[in-house]
Amino acid sequence: MKNKITIGPQHPALKEPISLRLTYDGDIITDADLRLGYTHRGLEKLAEGKSYIQNLYLTERICGICSHSHTTAFALGVEQLMGIEPPKRGTAIRTIIAELERIHSHLLWLGVAAHEIGFDSFFMYTWRDREHVLDILESISGNRIHYAINTFGGVRRDIDQDQRSTILEQIAHLQKRTEYYLNLGKTEPTLTARLAGVGKLSKEQAIDLCAVGPTTRASGVAQDIRKDDPSLSYPDVPFEIALSDTCDVLGRVVVRIKELISSYTIIEYLLKNLPDGEIRVKAPRKVPEGEVISRYEAPRGENIHYIKSNGTDKPERLKVRAPTLANYPATVEMLKNVFIADVPLIFAAIDPCVCCAERVIELVDSHTGRPEIITMSQLRTEANNYYRKKNIRNKEYLWPW
Amino acid sequence: MNAETLSLRLQESFGTLAEITVTGPRRLICKIASDQLKSVVTRLRKEFHFTHLSTISALDLTDRFEILYHFADSELCLTVRTEISRETPEISTITSIIPGAILYERELQDLFGIKIKDIPDNRPLLLPDDWKEGNYPLRKDWTFQMPLETIPGDDHSEK
């Protein structure tokens, strides 16, 4: 590893920073450390001073990609406290938006992972497919990212017959595209060779470190809140959770592609069997005293909200634990004893809610203890050069489909 | 098994150490004293297979802190509640039993000022490096006044 000193990356405005501190010995990472807190916005304290309906919009802005997961978890919790239940049609529309969000998040991630290994045409294909999903979301809710479709008691906008037929057409098109990506692994052995064996996290480690989402499902742990703690319309829809037992980045790719396919079937089922009726019921302004735990399966894993109310129209305490935080201890474990060239891919494989962010990585030479700062884009270029020179066609890995 | 059956089994197993209540179709609460934390968590993990810790929340009830450990298995959610005093807020760590709890405990130390005994990693998690000691933002008595916005160069003595 040549010694380079870089003075911090240029951050485009919307990207979130996180700092990784890696101790290395030649080519191998011996220790990893994480520094958080660069985007700590004091949301939990802020939520205590705002009313519930203001908090609905505040929780949506916790994240851009999983925005619907935070509002839905919050709305489900508060509706339980209020003692109201949204009508079936409202719940079905919430579930359809949730699955659409899962699709666009996974397509985005596939593109990012492809970009991390230098497969830029795959990146362009999946992001073009993602545009179809964002167009659907815009036609339903008016926005590509923060949909603002939830309210206490149901949803704010309905889906009419024209929108239904357009969505079904687009989903059929996306299904063909995803099956093409599925067969990509069989015909392109370098893809499998590059992804397999990287970022190993055994089943015991995944359970001990309380990992969530596709990261842990790729290690064979069958944890999916849509089956364990079902809410919304999931009890009525038949689907399978995606599992893999390869415990590495290849498993995580396969799990996400399988989830894409099951999301298409869920959306088709819900649209074909959309119940009639109202989309929302009226909600009271003041919430009776109580506390509730609301869990939701976001695209990245388990999202948990704990809400305590005190009888007024402002919450007493809101605690949010987003899924990426739960995967950080597992990431630190996965980064030990790997090549420096694998770092961008492993970190991207947990699908951090920072997507193509420029993160500052600090590399500490384990012999001299001297730190140097290097940007992620430089690390990625060097990683790809390393693998270009190394002959990886010798690896005996099979596409597990 | 559903929540009622599990609550009866838990109450039988723990006896007077814990008070188990069912608060919803898949929600249980287990109230214990703070010095029993480690033994209760070990038994929950080994005998009842609650291996997944979702998160740790803390509440500031003005005269005491209440800490909630949210555990989950493949069917329901169990919350372990314990109270500690506000003057000497201390509780022992559970990272020896559940290594994944480390970030949640560091967050408690940082934002509430609760001291976690024997924690393997003592650094603050979220607050900036130049944060003043003794300032715990999530406590109810910590308030923040936004500084008044002034235009540089204006003569403020007229206002």
Side-chain angles (χ1 to χ4, degrees):
Chain A
M1 198 73 217
K2 290 202 291 283
N3 284 335
K4 272 195 270 301
I5 299 183
T6 324
I7 315 287
Q10 294 279 52
H11 288 262
L14 294 170
K15 311 240 166 121
E16 303 175 303
I18 175 179
S19 171
L20 277 181
R21 199 165 198 259
L22 304 166
T23 317
Y24 67 94
D25 180 11
D27 228 357
I28 311 229
I29 309 275
T30 49
D31 198 12
D33 183 26
L34 227 51
R35 296 269 167 91
L36 304 178
Y38 293 96
T39 50
H40 176 62
R41 293 159 284 174
L43 231 116
E44 295 177 10
K45 185 84 182 176
L46 200 58
E48 290 172 15
K50 293 187 186 279
S51 71
Y52 283 97
I53 194 79
Q54 284 176 317
N55 278 330
L56 195 60
Y57 295 106
L58 184 67
T59 43
E60 190 157 28
R61 276 130 186 94
I62 294 180
C63 175
I65 300 190
C66 1
S67 59
H68 185 78
S69 67
H70 287 290
T71 35
T72 310
F74 186 65
L76 284 173
V78 175
E79 281 164 5
Q80 238 183 310
L81 286 174
M82 288 174 175
I84 59 177
E85 188 150 337
K88 289 244 174 237
R89 193 180 170 98
T91 312
I93 296 180
R94 259 185 198 168
T95 320
I96 292 174
I97 304 274
E99 291 303 314
L100 282 170
E101 181 182 69
R102 197 180 311 277
I103 293 174
H104 98 72
S105 173
H106 283 334
L107 282 173
L108 184 144
W109 181 80
L110 276 174
V112 167
H115 180 59
E116 297 289 356
I117 61 176
F119 194 178
D120 278 334
S121 9
F122 192 29
F123 167 45
M124 299 296 175
Y125 276 13
T126 45
W127 277 52
R128 192 197 52 190
D129 291 341
R130 191 174 161 244
E131 290 298 313
H132 291 282
V133 183
L134 292 175
D135 286 343
I136 299 177
L137 284 165
E138 192 177 9
S139 74
I140 301 179
S141 68
N143 269 330
R144 282 158 61 100
I145 301 287
H146 289 138
Y147 322 121
I149 201 144
N150 270 330
T151 184
F152 299 129
V155 293
R156 291 170 60 226
R157 291 179 201 271
D158 204 351
I159 298 184
D160 62 15
Q161 286 296 100
D162 286 334
Q163 283 173 329
R164 259 187 69 184
S165 28
T166 326
I167 298 176
L168 284 169
E169 259 173 52
Q170 301 276 30
I171 296 285
H173 169 79
L174 283 172
Q175 199 143 12
K176 280 211 291 283
R177 301 293 305 163
T178 311
E179 271 157 25
Y180 169 71
Y181 303 143
L182 210 58
N183 292 320
L184 200 62
K186 290 198 199 115
T187 51
E188 183 55 62
T190 49
L191 185 64
T192 322
R194 183 70 170 86
L195 297 173
V198 170
K200 285 242 168 227
L201 184 76
S202 71
K203 189 168 177 175
E204 289 74 33
Q205 283 177 319
I207 297 179
D208 277 344
L209 296 168
C210 302
V212 295
T215 311
T216 185
R217 288 200 277 279
S219 298
V221 180
Q223 185 202 56
D224 188 332
I225 308 295
R226 295 178 291 172
K227 291 283 190 194
D228 297 344
D229 198 353
S231 49
L232 298 179
S233 303
Y234 293 118
D236 307 326
V237 182
F239 70 100
E240 297 293 322
I241 68 174
L243 278 182
S244 169
D245 53 2
T246 52
C247 301
D248 56 12
V249 175
L250 181 61
R252 283 164 214 147
V253 170
V254 167
V255 161
R256 287 187 174 102
I257 299 185
K258 283 191 199 176
E259 284 186 0
L260 275 177
I261 300 197
S262 77
S263 290
Y264 299 144
T265 40
I266 297 176
I267 295 182
E268 269 175 15
Y269 182 92
L270 282 172
L271 279 175
K272 291 187 175 141
N273 303 318
L274 199 60
D276 293 318
E278 294 292 313
I279 53 173
R280 61 188 288 194
V281 293
K282 194 132 176 45
R285 196 181 156 80
K286 291 208 176 138
V287 174
E289 235 179 279
E291 60 180 10
V292 67
I293 298 170
S294 171
R295 298 161 83 205
Y296 177 94
E297 180 74 18
R300 280 154 192 79
E302 174 203 5
N303 191 2
I304 179 167
H305 283 223
Y306 166 73
I307 308 163
K308 179 156 195 244
S309 60
N310 55 8
T312 62
D313 64 343
K314 296 191 167 60
E316 166 88 12
R317 173 90 168 102
L318 167 65
K319 164 100 171 105
V320 176
R321 197 276 277 137
T324 311
L325 185 68
N327 281 333
Y328 282 145
T331 316
V332 169
E333 201 53 45
M334 279 193 266
L335 285 171
K336 297 192 176 155
N337 292 322
V338 297
F339 293 117
I340 295 183
D342 287 331
V343 168
L345 186 58
I346 297 177
F347 196 72
I350 62 161
D351 202 358
C353 207
V354 293
C355 289
C356 315
E358 279 274 53
R359 290 171 287 276
V360 177
I361 299 194
E362 194 176 304
L363 292 170
V364 179
D365 190 341
S366 66
H367 293 298
T368 61
R370 191 167 27 114
E372 58 179 81
I373 312 268
I374 176 168
T375 63
M376 188 61 120
S377 49
Q378 279 180 301
L379 195 63
R380 188 186 302 132
T381 326
E382 290 185 18
N384 288 334
N385 282 336
Y386 173 89
Y387 271 103
R388 209 167 281 139
K389 291 189 197 126
K390 200 172 146 171
N391 186 357
I392 53 172
R393 279 186 184 270
N394 293 330
K395 281 198 199 175
E396 294 296 324
Y397 291 110
L398 290 176
W399 184 249
W401 200 273
Chain B
M1 93 186 73
N2 70 351
E4 268 79 20
T5 349
L6 184 63
S7 77
L8 291 170
R9 277 188 55 191
L10 281 169
Q11 191 71 78
E12 230 182 281
S13 171
F14 285 113
T16 49
L17 287 179
E19 192 189 309
I20 315 276
T21 33
V22 177
T23 50
R26 287 181 291 272
R27 303 282 187 264
L28 287 167
I29 297 200
C30 168
K31 197 163 161 56
I32 60 170
S34 59
D35 47 0
Q36 300 292 334
L37 180 69
K38 274 186 127 145
S39 59
V40 167
V41 170
T42 322
R43 284 174 65 183
L44 278 177
R45 199 193 159 105
K46 299 228 160 70
E47 292 169 24
F48 294 95
H49 307 293
F50 278 99
T51 48
H52 180 75
L53 175 72
S54 292
T55 189
I56 306 179
S57 326
L59 291 169
D60 184 0
L61 312 164
T62 33
D63 51 348
R64 57 198 194 283
F65 284 129
E66 194 167 20
I67 310 189
L68 297 108
Y69 294 80
H70 303 282
F71 287 96
D73 71 355
S74 59
E75 283 165 359
L76 25 91
C77 221
L78 172 78
T79 306
V80 174
R81 274 189 121 98
T82 171
E83 289 185 359
I84 56 178
S85 83
R86 211 181 156 148
E87 291 76 42
T88 47
E90 277 184 356
I91 193 152
S92 52
T93 182
I94 59 171
T95 46
S96 47
I97 313 159
I98 299 186
I102 178 73
L103 290 185
Y104 310 132
E105 293 189 339
R106 279 171 68 187
E107 190 185 341
L108 278 187
Q109 275 197 284
D110 215 4
L111 296 172
F112 274 95
I114 295 177
K115 190 158 168 1
I116 312 262
K117 293 186 277 214
D118 308 321
I119 191 170
D121 189 354
N122 213 358
R123 297 170 302 172
L125 187 71
L126 292 171
L127 294 173
D129 294 329
D130 52 358
W131 193 256
K132 278 206 289 274
E133 272 291 326
N135 260 320
Y136 302 117
L138 277 180
R139 291 195 180 184
K140 289 285 183 189
D141 52 358
W142 189 89
T143 49
F144 180 66
Q145 258 310 50
M146 285 287 291
L148 204 53
E149 222 178 284
T150 53
I151 303 173
D154 255 4
D155 190 0
H156 301 293
S157 55
E158 296 164 5
K159 300 215 171 107

